[in-house]
Amino acid sequence: MLLAKREYDNHPFPRFDLFHNRAFFEDFLPARAAGWSPAIDVSETDNEYRVHLEAPGVEKDDIKAELDEGVLTISGEKKNSTKDESNKRYIVERAYGKFTRKLRFNDIDSEKISATFNNGVLEVTLSKVEAAKP
């Protein structure tokens, strides 16, 4: 078997190392620049919908849930707890900022809605109208 070293200098295009060029990845990651979006689960039973939104580090008073014409809007803000600028930060991976999540429901009773917030998880229960129940 013959092994030959590949010469990149004679190639018509410059050598581009994809994994060492951070700017390449930053162009394709707009979500990081736009803030953050908490994870959400939606489940359905015969009588209701349940929405679970994970928002660790968000205070209860900083989350707002509204229902308007069948659209559930959950919005809030995760505030940066590190205000001391004298400390050097070497790694910052946690995301902060405002978020908004919207979900549309067609068959819910707007008078029978409940919400609880426990350990950073918001649970919204939306009861279905009688016509939508099996």
Side-chain angles (χ1 to χ4, degrees):
M1 173 184 278
L2 177 64
L3 295 176
K5 183 179 177 186
R6 184 170 181 179
E7 296 292 334
Y8 289 99
D9 296 333
N10 296 334
H11 199 273
F13 299 106
R15 183 174 180 192
F16 181 72
D17 191 352
L18 180 67
F19 297 104
H20 290 91
N21 189 349
R22 294 181 58 87
F24 177 81
F25 290 107
E26 289 170 0
D27 290 341
F28 293 99
L29 298 173
R32 190 64 128 164
W36 74 293
S37 183
I40 194 167
D41 291 339
V42 179
S43 60
E44 178 183 12
T45 65
D46 291 340
N47 299 321
E48 64 191 13
Y49 294 100
R50 288 190 181 202
V51 178
H52 291 92
L53 180 125
E54 289 184 348
V58 178
E59 298 294 326
K60 181 179 180 178
D61 295 335
D62 293 334
I63 291 184
K64 183 172 154 184
E66 296 178 320
L67 182 69
D68 185 29
E69 296 181 13
V71 177
L72 175 66
T73 303
I74 303 172
S75 59
E77 182 176 5
K78 183 177 180 182
K79 297 175 182 171
N80 188 347
S81 60
T82 309
K83 297 287 184 187
D84 187 11
E85 295 296 327
S86 64
N87 291 338
K88 294 180 183 177
R89 293 199 258 173
Y90 295 103
I91 298 174
V92 178
E93 293 182 345
R94 296 184 295 165
Y96 301 96
K98 295 181 180 182
F99 66 88
T100 301
R101 300 295 305 259
K102 292 186 179 200
L103 300 165
R104 177 175 295 283
F105 297 95
N106 294 324
D107 53 356
I108 57 171
D109 186 354
S110 61
E111 300 297 320
K112 295 181 182 177
I113 298 173
S114 64
T116 59
F117 187 76
N118 190 15
N119 293 331
V121 178
L122 174 69
E123 180 181 351
V124 180
T125 304
L126 306 130
S127 297
K128 292 182 179 180
V129 293
E130 289 298 322
K133 294 179 182 178

